[in-house]
Amino acid sequence: MQKEKLRNVRKRKGFTQQQVADYIATDVSNYSRKESGDVKIFNDEWEKIARYLEVPVEEIYEEEDPKPIFNFDNITGSSGFGNNVNGNLYCNVPEFLLENQRDYIEHLKKENQRLQEEIKALQNK
């Protein structure tokens, strides 16, 4: 589901995807996927984007589409889960799910780094 409210406000305010991506500390391709609805926008990102666009969050916020629940009952193999080839277990995980997890890991790494810097700053006071 595209984030039409977000896209419309961003364009109305005259900002590019690159400018918003820079502000929320991500690359433009990731931000583009967020705006197109392919990648989740986290609550803190909604707040940052709203602050950058100088609008209330409610003016740009749109609910995320619920992600499909995967049923692995139809996957076969000696273990009952995935294919066992030469002792390696393989499972077909959709790419969008992997990408979403990669994005979340990157988000957590950045948040961890920010918190570590905040701790150091507090310790130096």
Side-chain angles (χ1 to χ4, degrees):
M1 175 173 108
Q2 288 193 344
K3 306 295 184 239
E4 291 298 328
K5 289 167 62 175
L6 172 56
R7 184 183 314 262
N8 290 339
V9 170
R10 177 184 57 77
K11 287 182 175 182
R12 186 182 79 229
K13 295 277 190 164
F15 292 107
T16 65
Q17 287 186 337
Q18 181 68 60
Q19 290 170 310
V20 179
D22 290 344
Y23 186 77
I24 65 170
T26 191
D27 60 85
V28 70
S29 64
N30 187 40
Y31 177 78
S32 177
R33 290 191 306 269
K34 289 175 182 291
E35 200 173 88
S36 68
D38 294 333
V39 175
K40 178 179 176 60
I41 300 176
F42 296 96
N43 289 340
D44 65 319
E45 292 173 322
W46 281 113
E47 292 169 10
K48 287 179 184 177
I49 294 168
R51 193 167 39 249
Y52 186 68
L53 298 176
E54 298 178 332
V55 296
V57 173
E58 298 76 26
E59 191 172 329
I60 60 170
Y61 178 77
E62 295 179 59
E63 291 287 331
E64 300 288 331
D65 282 340
K67 298 295 181 197
I69 298 174
F70 297 98
N71 182 347
F72 293 103
D73 291 342
N74 63 347
I75 298 176
T76 60
S78 61
S79 67
F81 186 79
N83 296 317
N84 194 339
V85 179
N86 297 326
N88 294 316
L89 183 63
Y90 295 94
C91 181
N92 294 327
V93 178
E95 184 59 34
F96 81 90
L97 187 58
L98 293 173
E99 183 66 29
N100 192 312
Q101 293 300 304
R102 287 183 199 112
D103 290 341
Y104 187 61
I105 289 168
E106 187 62 31
H107 169 77
L108 290 173
K109 286 179 180 178
K110 289 176 182 175
E111 183 65 10
N112 189 28
Q113 181 180 1
R114 184 191 68 77
L115 290 170
Q116 287 175 353
E117 291 169 3
E118 187 175 326
I119 288 169
K120 285 180 184 176
L122 289 171
Q123 288 174 340
N124 291 334
K125 284 187 176 184

